[in-house]
Amino acid sequence: MDSAPLGFFDSGVGGLTVVRAVQELLPAENILYLGDTARLPYGSKSPETIRQFADEDARFLIERGVKAIVVACNTATAHALPGLREKYRLPILGVIEAGVESALANPDAERIGIIATRGTVRSHAYQHALALRRTGLIIHARETPLLVPLIEEDWIEHPATEIVLRSYLDPLVQRGIDTLLLACTHYPLLIPALRKLLPDGVRLVDSATTCAEHLRHELASLDLLAAAADVGKLEVHLTDLSEEFETLARRFLKRAPGRIHRAVLP
Ligand code: DGL
């Protein structure tokens, strides 16, 4: 048993979708969340820059005594997770492994679509992880850079979002995908819009719920779970504070995040 906080970081507030899923599954855990809002987006930046930012994000959390880190950002997981794991001794989880395992939990999955930021798609992290676990898969990955701004504008139901989604998804649907990996922590908010546009048989796999389940399993096996009787607290730190980020944080978390602190990175 360990009541030290779990550390989460993301480029912004999108990683709060993962926090929300973790709070539902593991309500006893204390959570320290860092959103690097001053330097987002990560999705369009070079691998070297993302690795440097991710290292600073991880150090911020480690200095505050977290017992494990969740990289709640697909782009940072894609580029920085191996380096962080090599450098630091505490358990560090990303969002990719869990998503890939969940996609392949269906033995009939054969044609996998992936939507993600440019950085995630170009890293080939998902494509490699899928191909390593199952041969013969047909994988179609699409860079979908317009989706994060549309979600942040709360244009989920807007006709413009439908047009953008159709032009991103039609080629995947034409290729007969049976599974769509939502490989960005913002995308769980799009699930209702995606369900309307995709054929019924397509299974959606998101980073939030899959990561929460993976985390529970890892913490249990390392004997790091908080005592079940505890009620966990959430502390949110952002490198840039604004009213917009507070509003967004509430939408991603589906409740008020409490007082948000301004983070100064090491
Ligand atoms: N959090 C990023 C991800 O999951 C999306 C936002 C960004 O590009 O910074 O890939």
Side-chain angles (χ1 to χ4, degrees), residues 8 11 26 43 78 113 124 128 151 158-159 163 173 189 191 207 231 257 259 265:
F8 289 67
S11 57
L26 301 168
H124 289 96
H128 284 149
I151 294 165
H158 195 286
I163 293 169
V173 172
L189 274 76
I191 289 174
S207 300
V231 179
R259 188 168 91 77
L265 297 184

Side-chain angles (χ1 to χ4, degrees), residues 93-144:
L93 277 74
V95 275
I96 295 182
E97 212 178 310
V100 163
E101 271 169 17
S102 168
L104 297 183
N106 171 11
D108 298 328
E110 273 177 356
R111 294 174 174 264
I112 318 270
I114 303 166
I115 53 172
T117 64
R118 280 215 164 97
T120 299
V121 171
R122 292 185 190 182
S123 74
H124 289 96
Y126 273 94
Q127 295 92 315
H128 284 149
L130 285 163
L132 261 180
R133 285 171 175 80
R134 191 175 296 169
T135 48
L137 288 174
I138 295 165
I139 303 167
H140 299 290
R142 278 223 74 168
E143 298 172 9
T144 50

Side-chain angles (χ1 to χ4, degrees), residues 3-8 30-34 56-69 90 235-238 261-266:
S3 63
L6 291 167
F8 289 67
N30 291 308
I31 293 175
L32 189 61
Y33 181 89
L34 170 67
E56 289 163 10
D57 297 338
R59 270 166 45 209
F60 175 91
L61 296 169
I62 291 167
E63 281 173 9
R64 278 153 189 82
V66 298
K67 62 183 172 186
I69 291 180
L90 77 175
E235 206 176 285
V236 178
H237 296 251
L238 300 179
H261 307 263
R262 168 122 201 285
V264 179
L265 297 184

Side-chain angles (χ1 to χ4, degrees), residues 10-12 40-44 72-76 117 120 148 183-186:
D10 176 38
S11 57
L40 63 73
Y42 282 11
S44 53
C73 172
N74 282 269
T75 314
T117 64
T120 299
V148 165
C184 172
T185 47
H186 277 61

Side-chain angles (χ1 to χ4, degrees), residues 68-90:
I69 291 180
V70 177
V71 183
C73 172
N74 282 269
T75 314
T77 301
H79 289 297
L81 185 67
L84 293 176
R85 280 186 171 157
E86 229 168 80
K87 186 167 174 186
Y88 298 109
R89 294 178 66 96
L90 77 175

Side-chain angles (χ1 to χ4, degrees), residues 151-169:
I151 294 165
E152 295 199 347
E153 280 304 309
D154 202 7
W155 277 23
I156 313 284
E157 304 288 334
H158 195 286
T161 305
E162 190 180 327
I163 293 169
V164 170
L165 279 175
R166 276 192 198 284
S167 64
Y168 282 149
L169 295 174

